Amino acid sequence: MKQSEIKELSTAELQEKLSETKKSYSDLKLAHAISPLENPIQLRSVRRTVARIATELTKRDLQ
């Protein structure tokens, strides 16, 4: 998910998306611990998406 897409979402949508993405990340980590993922770069991209969403939420709270 790109930063421009994140900025277009409302705060409620961002919070929902954050919880979904965190769940997805934990599922991927668990699957990778059991057997190696076909594309381990997925872990990095999902982790960075979580960070982008969290950063946008923090930015909105400070304004």
Side-chain angles (χ1 to χ4, degrees):
M1 184 172 236
K2 294 186 177 184
Q3 189 66 27
S4 59
E5 295 171 353
I6 292 173
K7 286 182 180 181
E8 294 173 359
L9 298 175
S10 70
T11 304
E13 289 172 331
L14 281 176
Q15 289 171 342
E16 181 181 330
K17 196 73 157 165
L18 181 63
S19 64
E20 289 173 9
T21 312
K22 280 185 176 181
K23 170 113 175 69
S24 170
Y25 179 65
S26 65
D27 291 345
L28 278 173
K29 273 181 47 176
L30 182 63
H32 187 61
I34 294 171
S35 64
L37 290 176
E38 186 176 314
N39 184 8
I41 302 300
Q42 258 183 323
L43 287 169
R44 184 189 320 167
S45 67
V46 173
R47 186 175 64 238
R48 288 181 178 178
T49 301
V50 168
R52 284 187 188 105
I53 294 171
T55 300
E56 182 65 26
L57 281 171
T58 303
K59 183 177 161 184
R60 290 181 185 190
D61 286 343
L62 293 176
Q63 287 180 349

